[in-house]
Amino acid sequence: MKFKKLISNSILKNIMIVLGILIVFAFFANPRFLFNKTVFYNFQSRDIQRGFRLFNGHPIFYGPEMTGGGNLPGPLYYFLISIALRFKGGWIGVWLMQYILASISAIIGAYYFWSKTSKIISLTWIIFFSTALFTSFYITQFLNVSSMLCFTVAALVFINKAFTEDDLEKRNRNFILACFTIGLGIQLHLSIICLIFALFFMQFFAFKLKLVPLPSRPVWLGLSAFMLPIIPYLTWLLFSKLGAQFGVPAFYAGATDQAFASNAYLLKLGMNEPWSKILIDSLKKIFITFPLPLFLLIAVQLLSRSKMKVAKFKPILICLIFAFVPYAFWYFSTQAYRYSMPFYLSLIFITMFFLNDIKDSSKKIMIFNSIALFVQIIISFFVLFYSPKINILGFLISNTAIVILITLFVFFIEKNRWKTGRGFILSLILALTLQNDQKYLHQSIGEFVGYMPNKSEWTDIWTTIFNQTGWSYEEAKNKIYYIDHHISQDPELFLRSFNYHKELQKILLSPDGFFVSYSYGNSSRNREGGLVKPQDWLLKQNLHLDIITALKNGEIRLGENISKLNLIIPFWVTNSNKIPKHFHNVGEGYQASEDDKRLAEVPEDQGIKKIGPNTFLFKWNESPDKNSFCSTGAIVNVIKKNKDYQINIKIIGSTISQMTPWVSPAWTQAWISPYLEIMCDTQIKRFIISESVGFRRKYTHNKWDPLFTGNNSIIGPFEKNINFSCNGPITFLRLGRKGSTVDKIRSVKELPPKSLEINLRTYKFI
């Protein structure tokens, strides 16, 4: 009975500890706030679709696409998504799953520091991890890497224990667990692979590093444990290469061996920026990544002239060095922030050990408290009086909560420390408030280029548009042209489930479309601090040539801006022969439209097929491997009324309907100067359809970073009516283009002109 009572008390105690950790994490990493700050990438839309397929019994053996080509080696992420979908359908369930995994990270770290340092350092870890800017950043980015937090924290714990535990059996077990955890983690994001290199580096050079190596048997078992989760993927890949495909086929995303070459190209591209800009951005990134208290703790070590015992966390230091390699790539490529997770978590681990080191030294505590208090006063003064961008109320509440929480914890849980270690308690409070300050200070240094609205902002955009027009997302999606928004944004993931209050609608406007820009409020200030006129601002942006020309010539009429802070402005096309009434720049992503699928009705690489009364399907496929994703074409419908003709042209194709080349790094096509020619009254009439249709780097928001920021191309499906009169019958119809460009990440290939024509001499229009 006593044993059962002991067990039950132990279980109850652990339940209460876990609940306490979750409450603290939820307070400082507020799920409601982070939920509203979540952004939506087309990559997450892709992954949720695959999770649904797995949920419905379609086996998948690969993971998300890697940057530049190929897939991550295993479907763990899709299994996690399918589990989340069982509890809560749609993207919200996946977001909750990601947040729960982040909470588990806090629990793993808390238990580790509880056992290796002290209870108060354990609490410090929870608050430190919860307030870390990158923790919030990964949760709101809502990508596959966001679910890797707990795997990275667990891997660091296992690695450190594998080389610092006294018991050999425990060391062996932790080495194997570290390998297995990393093997799972690389199915979520490749950046964690740096830890397996660090782990085996420590094993092979243990004596030089003054570490104790493990026996060969657990090392081989660890290698096997690392490979075990990857075996299903390797089996699937082998059979796919042999032509014996099973499971859901992979998307047309390029070869795996191209991923590293693409990343090398991005590094080269990033180094073309002015060094002054690289330096400024680098300082911002250092500020975002490195915990401010860590700098002060290092200064304490130098000023106190004392040697720190690093044996307890030397493995983490080595992990930090290896993790610096993927992290450093971020300094030359904006997308590489995703590679920073092992590095920033290693920094937090090291900060905890540094804090634990000063607890027994009154000299170190005095030096740290003096410096930290001085810095805290300066930061508080700046926040309260000189930085209007910072949420002052949130700043004060969170810092006050840190003071109260640490004080109550010490008073009730570690009473002895209250009597003997008040200086150290102040050190912890200062370290945590400085870390929290860092998150709020980030609000004052600005964001990186390429704007992507979050959930709250998408709600504002679509509530505003819906209240004016009554349009659903399906009605509106091809009528909205986003200016300087991130090329990988995917509003559809959120807006398909948007709650339209139709009983409240009052239709006030019936425009042809809207210009929308959530960067307008930040980039359109005049010298007096007010907003410049929308039309003046529009003409200064790197918009598609057709739009700029139409605005200058009065062929697009603008209405009033219906947003107070940003740009949501209706427009009407006054000359539809010059520019279509509806145009857009939101890509199809990984789902082919029904029109795109119709291109398969023409089996040849190029050809024309009659698909209805007066309706023809044109098709080309210019890719070397003739993959169906690379097919482009148009549906052309001819309407005749007496002498008047109207020809409707709809340019289609998955590859031409992308706003980002990262969906298919091997082939993202744009038509250059597509045209229609007809023979009318023995004369050939040519109508230019557009300057271009499809993703083009020339319309980038930032010339130094054309592959990850905003882009203002016009993409497919692109529909335009051409009206003309002809006394006699039209005898032929030709659809062509001056050429094409194909973005292949590392190069942009130019393709020759193409055209196809129909002989209409004997054709009678209905």
Side-chain angles (χ1 to χ4, degrees), residues 535 539 545-557 574-575 578:
Q535 179 150 352
L539 292 174
L545 182 61
D546 291 356
I547 297 173
I548 286 288
T549 303
L551 284 169
K552 288 179 177 178
N553 295 340
E555 291 156 348
I556 292 179
R557 178 172 62 85
T574 59
N575 186 350
K578 293 293 185 180

Side-chain angles (χ1 to χ4, degrees), residues 94-269:
V94 180
W95 191 92
L96 289 171
M97 175 268 293
Q98 168 194 282
Y99 187 84
I100 290 169
L101 291 174
S103 304
I104 293 172
S105 309
I107 295 170
I108 294 169
Y111 269 93
Y112 174 68
F113 285 108
W114 187 302
S115 65
K116 292 299 175 185
T117 55
S118 64
K119 296 174 185 177
I120 192 66
I121 293 295
S122 176
L123 177 62
T124 304
W125 151 265
I126 302 166
I127 301 173
F128 214 93
F129 173 73
S130 306
T131 56
L133 185 63
F134 257 109
T135 301
S136 298
F137 186 68
Y138 276 114
I139 293 172
T140 57
Q141 288 302 288
F142 196 31
L143 288 165
N144 49 296
V145 67
S146 306
S147 297
M148 196 177 72
L149 279 166
C150 65
F151 293 90
T152 310
V153 171
L156 289 170
V157 168
F158 292 140
I159 289 171
N160 206 48
K161 293 175 75 173
F163 287 97
T164 59
E165 290 280 358
D166 295 324
D167 185 88
L168 180 60
E169 187 177 340
K170 289 182 179 179
R171 294 179 60 229
N172 294 343
R173 184 166 61 247
N174 280 292
F175 187 92
I176 295 167
L177 286 171
C179 291
F180 183 70
T181 304
I182 297 168
L184 292 173
I186 61 170
Q187 299 188 36
L188 300 171
H189 197 265
L190 196 63
S191 59
I192 198 175
I193 201 170
C194 65
L195 298 184
I196 201 74
F197 292 128
L199 186 61
F200 280 91
F201 176 83
M202 284 183 270
Q203 170 63 21
F204 294 142
F205 296 95
F207 291 115
K208 290 187 177 182
L209 297 169
K210 295 183 181 179
L211 297 171
V212 180
L214 286 89
S216 59
R217 185 173 183 273
V219 172
W220 284 108
L221 286 173
L223 184 60
S224 301
F226 171 74
M227 293 299 298
L228 183 64
I230 307 173
I231 289 173
Y233 167 77
L234 295 176
T235 305
W236 170 85
L237 187 64
L238 176 63
F239 276 81
S240 298
K241 297 291 185 183
L242 296 174
Q245 180 75 54
F246 59 88
V248 176
F251 186 78
Y252 185 71
T256 303
D257 59 1
Q258 297 300 307
F260 295 102
S262 296
N263 277 285
Y265 170 77
L266 294 176
L267 182 62
K268 177 182 175 183
L269 192 67

Side-chain angles (χ1 to χ4, degrees), residues 330-341:
W330 181 33
Y331 286 76
F332 298 97
S333 179
T334 56
Q335 57 85 32
Y337 65 84
R338 301 194 294 268
Y339 306 161
S340 301
M341 186 181 291

Side-chain angles (χ1 to χ4, degrees), residues 294-462:
L294 181 58
F295 287 113
L296 304 187
L297 288 164
I298 293 171
V300 167
Q301 294 297 325
L302 296 173
L303 292 172
S304 64
R305 297 181 180 179
S306 61
K307 289 186 178 180
M308 184 178 180
K309 296 178 182 179
V310 299
K312 290 185 178 180
F313 63 96
K314 186 182 289 184
I316 302 294
L317 284 171
I318 294 168
C319 287
L320 181 75
I321 294 168
F322 276 81
F324 181 78
V325 176
Y327 164 73
F329 189 63
W330 181 33
Y331 286 76
F332 298 97
S333 179
T334 56
Q335 57 85 32
Y337 65 84
R338 301 194 294 268
Y339 306 161
S340 301
M341 186 181 291
F343 186 78
Y344 109 89
L345 287 173
S346 298
L347 285 172
I348 295 179
F349 269 70
I350 291 168
T351 305
M352 294 303 102
F353 284 110
F354 265 81
L355 278 170
N356 188 61
D357 176 73
I358 70 170
K359 71 177 186 299
D360 298 321
S361 171
S362 57
K363 182 180 180 181
K364 291 181 180 179
I365 289 172
M366 183 188 69
I367 295 172
F368 178 81
N369 289 351
S370 300
I371 299 173
L373 191 59
F374 176 73
V375 174
Q376 180 66 70
I377 291 170
I378 292 174
I379 291 174
S380 299
F381 190 78
F382 172 78
V383 169
L384 294 174
F385 299 105
Y386 287 99
S387 185
K389 292 183 180 180
I390 292 178
N391 177 4
I392 295 176
L393 182 61
F395 172 82
L396 293 173
I397 289 174
S398 55
N399 275 345
T400 303
I402 288 170
V403 175
I404 294 172
L405 184 58
I406 293 293
T407 304
L408 291 176
F409 185 87
V410 172
F411 190 78
F412 288 104
I413 306 298
E414 292 197 349
K415 294 182 180 180
N416 293 333
R417 199 178 294 277
W418 185 259
K419 298 176 182 178
T420 61
R422 293 183 185 179
F424 181 59
I425 296 168
L426 178 60
S427 298
L428 295 179
I429 290 172
L430 287 169
L432 289 169
T433 53
L434 286 173
Q435 164 78 353
N436 189 55
D437 293 350
Q438 202 166 349
K439 182 170 71 173
Y440 282 92
L441 285 172
H442 175 250
Q443 298 173 13
S444 68
I445 66 174
E447 301 292 337
F448 297 108
V449 292
Y451 195 80
M452 185 178 290
N454 57 43
K455 176 188 175 292
S456 178
E457 291 162 341
W458 279 124
T459 300
D460 178 65
I461 290 171
W462 283 93

Side-chain angles (χ1 to χ4, degrees), residues 466-568:
F466 176 78
N467 288 342
Q468 294 288 322
T469 64
W471 292 347
S472 67
Y473 178 70
E474 280 298 320
E475 294 173 284
K477 67 179 183 179
N478 289 343
K479 301 177 183 179
I480 311 296
Y481 183 81
Y482 299 98
I483 300 169
D484 300 340
H485 281 210
H486 197 284
I487 59 175
S488 296
Q489 72 173 13
D490 187 13
E492 187 162 329
L493 180 62
F494 166 61
L495 293 169
R496 280 194 177 279
S497 59
F498 184 68
N499 186 20
Y500 297 99
H501 300 286
K502 294 199 172 183
E503 69 276 10
L504 300 177
Q505 79 175 36
K506 292 181 181 180
I507 298 177
L508 303 175
L509 292 172
S510 296
D512 293 325
F514 282 88
F515 291 118
V516 173
S517 178
Y518 251 55
S519 65
Y520 169 72
N522 295 322
S523 63
S524 59
R525 301 284 174 184
N526 56 29
R527 291 181 179 178
E528 291 74 35
L531 295 175
V532 301
K533 292 181 180 180
Q535 179 150 352
D536 294 340
W537 182 82
L538 285 170
L539 292 174
K540 292 179 181 178
Q541 307 310 301
N542 187 26
L543 305 183
H544 191 280
L545 182 61
D546 291 356
I547 297 173
I548 286 288
T549 303
L551 284 169
K552 288 179 177 178
N553 295 340
E555 291 156 348
I556 292 179
R557 178 172 62 85
L558 298 177
E560 293 295 322
N561 187 8
I562 58 176
S563 173
K564 293 180 180 179
L565 296 176
N566 296 287
L567 188 78
I568 306 177

